[in-house]
Short mmCIF file of all heavy atoms in Angstrom, two decimals:
data_model
loop_
_atom_site.label_atom_id
_atom_site.label_comp_id
_atom_site.label_asym_id
_atom_site.label_seq_id
_atom_site.Cartn_x
_atom_site.Cartn_y
_atom_site.Cartn_z
N MET A 1164 100.43 81.39 118.89
CA MET A 1164 99.20 82.19 118.74
C MET A 1164 98.33 81.86 119.98
O MET A 1164 98.10 80.75 120.33
CB MET A 1164 98.53 81.75 117.45
CG MET A 1164 97.24 82.41 117.25
SD MET A 1164 96.29 81.88 115.81
CE MET A 1164 97.50 81.44 114.60
N ASN A 1165 97.87 82.98 120.62
CA ASN A 1165 97.07 82.70 121.80
C ASN A 1165 95.66 82.33 121.38
O ASN A 1165 95.27 82.45 120.27
CB ASN A 1165 97.10 83.94 122.71
CG ASN A 1165 96.44 85.18 122.06
OD1 ASN A 1165 95.71 85.07 121.16
ND2 ASN A 1165 96.81 86.32 122.60
N SER A 1166 94.89 81.86 122.36
CA SER A 1166 93.59 81.33 122.08
C SER A 1166 92.57 82.41 121.63
O SER A 1166 91.68 82.07 120.84
CB SER A 1166 93.04 80.55 123.31
OG SER A 1166 92.86 81.47 124.36
N GLN A 1167 92.74 83.61 122.12
CA GLN A 1167 91.80 84.65 121.73
C GLN A 1167 92.01 85.05 120.27
O GLN A 1167 91.03 85.25 119.51
CB GLN A 1167 91.98 85.86 122.63
CG GLN A 1167 90.87 86.91 122.42
CD GLN A 1167 90.93 88.02 123.45
OE1 GLN A 1167 91.92 88.06 124.19
NE2 GLN A 1167 89.96 88.83 123.46
N THR A 1168 93.28 85.13 119.84
CA THR A 1168 93.59 85.43 118.43
C THR A 1168 93.09 84.31 117.52
O THR A 1168 92.51 84.53 116.46
CB THR A 1168 95.09 85.62 118.25
OG1 THR A 1168 95.55 86.67 119.09
CG2 THR A 1168 95.44 85.99 116.82
N ARG A 1169 93.30 83.07 117.99
CA ARG A 1169 92.84 81.91 117.17
C ARG A 1169 91.35 81.90 117.06
O ARG A 1169 90.78 81.67 115.98
CB ARG A 1169 93.33 80.61 117.87
CG ARG A 1169 92.89 79.39 117.14
CD ARG A 1169 93.52 78.14 117.76
NE ARG A 1169 92.89 76.95 117.36
CZ ARG A 1169 93.07 76.38 116.19
NH1 ARG A 1169 93.79 76.97 115.28
NH2 ARG A 1169 92.45 75.22 115.89
N ALA A 1170 90.66 82.20 118.17
CA ALA A 1170 89.17 82.20 118.13
C ALA A 1170 88.67 83.30 117.22
O ALA A 1170 87.70 83.06 116.44
CB ALA A 1170 88.63 82.40 119.51
N SER A 1171 89.29 84.46 117.18
CA SER A 1171 88.82 85.54 116.32
C SER A 1171 89.06 85.19 114.86
O SER A 1171 88.32 85.48 113.99
CB SER A 1171 89.44 86.87 116.67
OG SER A 1171 90.84 86.85 116.49
N ARG A 1172 90.19 84.53 114.60
CA ARG A 1172 90.48 84.08 113.18
C ARG A 1172 89.54 83.03 112.71
O ARG A 1172 89.07 83.04 111.60
CB ARG A 1172 91.90 83.62 113.08
CG ARG A 1172 92.94 84.70 113.11
CD ARG A 1172 94.30 84.15 112.82
NE ARG A 1172 95.26 85.25 112.85
CZ ARG A 1172 96.52 85.09 112.63
NH1 ARG A 1172 97.03 83.89 112.39
NH2 ARG A 1172 97.36 86.14 112.62
N VAL A 1173 89.20 82.13 113.58
CA VAL A 1173 88.28 81.03 113.24
C VAL A 1173 86.89 81.64 113.01
O VAL A 1173 86.21 81.33 112.03
CB VAL A 1173 88.23 79.96 114.32
CG1 VAL A 1173 87.05 79.06 114.16
CG2 VAL A 1173 89.51 79.16 114.30
N ARG A 1174 86.48 82.58 113.87
CA ARG A 1174 85.17 83.24 113.69
C ARG A 1174 85.13 83.99 112.39
O ARG A 1174 84.11 83.93 111.65
CB ARG A 1174 84.95 84.19 114.88
CG ARG A 1174 83.56 84.41 115.26
CD ARG A 1174 83.35 85.19 116.51
NE ARG A 1174 83.94 84.58 117.68
CZ ARG A 1174 84.89 85.09 118.46
NH1 ARG A 1174 85.36 86.26 118.23
NH2 ARG A 1174 85.34 84.40 119.50
N LEU A 1175 86.20 84.69 112.05
CA LEU A 1175 86.28 85.45 110.76
C LEU A 1175 86.20 84.44 109.62
O LEU A 1175 85.50 84.71 108.61
CB LEU A 1175 87.55 86.24 110.71
CG LEU A 1175 87.78 87.07 109.45
CD1 LEU A 1175 86.68 88.12 109.27
CD2 LEU A 1175 89.13 87.69 109.46
N GLY A 1176 86.91 83.34 109.73
CA GLY A 1176 86.92 82.35 108.65
C GLY A 1176 85.58 81.76 108.43
O GLY A 1176 85.16 81.48 107.30
N ILE A 1177 84.88 81.42 109.53
CA ILE A 1177 83.57 80.80 109.40
C ILE A 1177 82.57 81.81 108.87
O ILE A 1177 81.61 81.40 108.17
CB ILE A 1177 83.13 80.20 110.77
CG1 ILE A 1177 84.06 79.01 111.08
CG2 ILE A 1177 81.70 79.74 110.73
CD1 ILE A 1177 83.88 78.37 112.42
N LEU A 1178 82.74 83.07 109.12
CA LEU A 1178 81.78 84.06 108.60
C LEU A 1178 81.94 84.24 107.03
O LEU A 1178 81.08 84.78 106.42
CB LEU A 1178 82.04 85.44 109.21
CG LEU A 1178 81.45 85.62 110.58
CD1 LEU A 1178 81.84 86.97 111.20
CD2 LEU A 1178 79.91 85.51 110.54
N THR A 1179 83.00 83.68 106.52
CA THR A 1179 83.13 83.75 105.03
C THR A 1179 82.15 82.82 104.34
O THR A 1179 81.89 83.06 103.14
CB THR A 1179 84.59 83.45 104.60
OG1 THR A 1179 84.90 82.10 105.00
CG2 THR A 1179 85.57 84.41 105.16
N LEU A 1180 81.66 81.85 105.00
CA LEU A 1180 80.65 80.97 104.38
C LEU A 1180 79.41 81.70 103.99
O LEU A 1180 79.01 81.68 102.82
CB LEU A 1180 80.32 79.74 105.32
CG LEU A 1180 81.28 78.61 105.27
CD1 LEU A 1180 80.95 77.63 106.42
CD2 LEU A 1180 81.26 77.94 103.94
#
Side-chain angles (χ1 to χ4, degrees):
M1164 177 184 328
N1165 65 21
S1166 63
Q1167 189 172 9
T1168 304
R1169 179 175 166 73
S1171 65
R1172 285 186 178 181
V1173 167
R1174 210 173 297 121
L1175 178 65
I1177 292 174
L1178 280 177
T1179 61
L1180 279 171

